[in-house]
């Protein structure tokens, strides 16, 4: 990963990058967070790595491994945005600073970023960060389930 602003590193496909992605996958798998984060087909390690390789991905790490990961997969002239923050770093000033820095870079690269979530709580959190959602979830939007 190459160093970016605010301690975020950009995925570049090195062996070290792949090891960090595998570490992150293991963290998410053990915490039961993969199901809400990536499509069903990408929840095993190999497909997860393939999913990450197709995205523009940035990550911040500490001694416990990845703690902030943001990615966008290209779609039309924009990107579909994903975000994960390790439980012990959620709702912290460091996470907010990482979000602000990364989302500004992502918006500079893509004029439109699409954020999808099945969870009301996450939709509310994203809305506080400036993301605009439909008033009600769209039926069948994510793998047949309603989502914003």
């Amino acid at each position: 990963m190459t160093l970016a602003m605010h301690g975020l590193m950009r995925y570049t496909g090195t062996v070290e990058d792949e090891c960090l992605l595998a570490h992150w996958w293991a963290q998410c798998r053990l915490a039961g967070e993969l199901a809400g984060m990536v499509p069903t087909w990408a929840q095993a390690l190999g497909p997860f790595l393939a999913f990450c390789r197709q995205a523009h991905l940035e990550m911040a790490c500490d001694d416990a491994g990845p703690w902030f990961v943001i990615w966008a997969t290209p779609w039309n002239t924009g990107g579909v945005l994903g975000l994960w923050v390790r439980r012990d770093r959620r709702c912290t000033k460091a996470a907010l600073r990482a979000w602000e820095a990364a989302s500004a870079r992502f918006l500079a690269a893509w004029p439109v970023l699409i954020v999808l979530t099945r969870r009301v709580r996450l939709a509310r959190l994203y809305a506080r960060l400036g993301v605009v959602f439909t008033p009600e979830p769209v039926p069948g939007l994510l793998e047949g389930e309603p989502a914003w």
Side-chain angles (χ1 to χ4, degrees):
M1 297 210 173
T2 59
L3 229 33
M5 295 172 52
H6 299 283
L8 289 167
M9 299 174 291
R10 193 168 71 94
Y11 173 80
T12 57
T14 66
V15 172
E16 292 82 6
D17 289 357
E18 298 285 295
C19 289
L20 282 172
L21 289 178
H23 184 103
W24 175 43
W25 173 85
Q27 282 180 310
C28 293
R29 184 85 172 171
L30 291 172
E33 296 178 334
L34 283 175
M37 191 174 75
V38 296
T40 302
W41 65 264
Q43 292 180 19
L45 179 57
F48 178 82
L49 293 173
F51 174 83
C52 291
R53 287 180 193 123
Q54 70 174 342
H56 174 95
L57 185 141
E58 295 184 11
M59 172 184 299
C61 299
D62 60 17
D63 291 341
W67 68 268
F68 181 94
V69 184
I70 187 168
W71 65 94
T73 52
W75 183 80
N76 204 346
T77 60
V80 178
L81 189 73
L83 174 68
W84 175 85
V85 181
R86 198 175 60 215
R87 189 172 307 276
D88 64 321
R89 295 284 198 120
R90 293 176 186 165
C91 298
T92 64
K93 288 182 182 181
L96 179 59
R97 283 191 302 272
W99 161 261
E100 290 170 342
S103 62
R105 279 192 302 281
F106 280 45
L107 282 169
W110 297 288
V112 174
L113 290 175
I114 300 164
V115 177
L116 303 173
T117 184
R118 294 180 181 108
R119 300 183 190 137
V120 174
R121 187 180 62 75
L122 287 179
R124 289 183 184 140
L125 176 62
Y126 275 121
R128 287 188 5 224
L129 296 172
V131 176
V132 178
F133 288 99
T134 59
E136 297 296 321
V138 177
L141 184 61
L142 282 176
E143 297 184 331
E145 294 182 30
W148 284 269

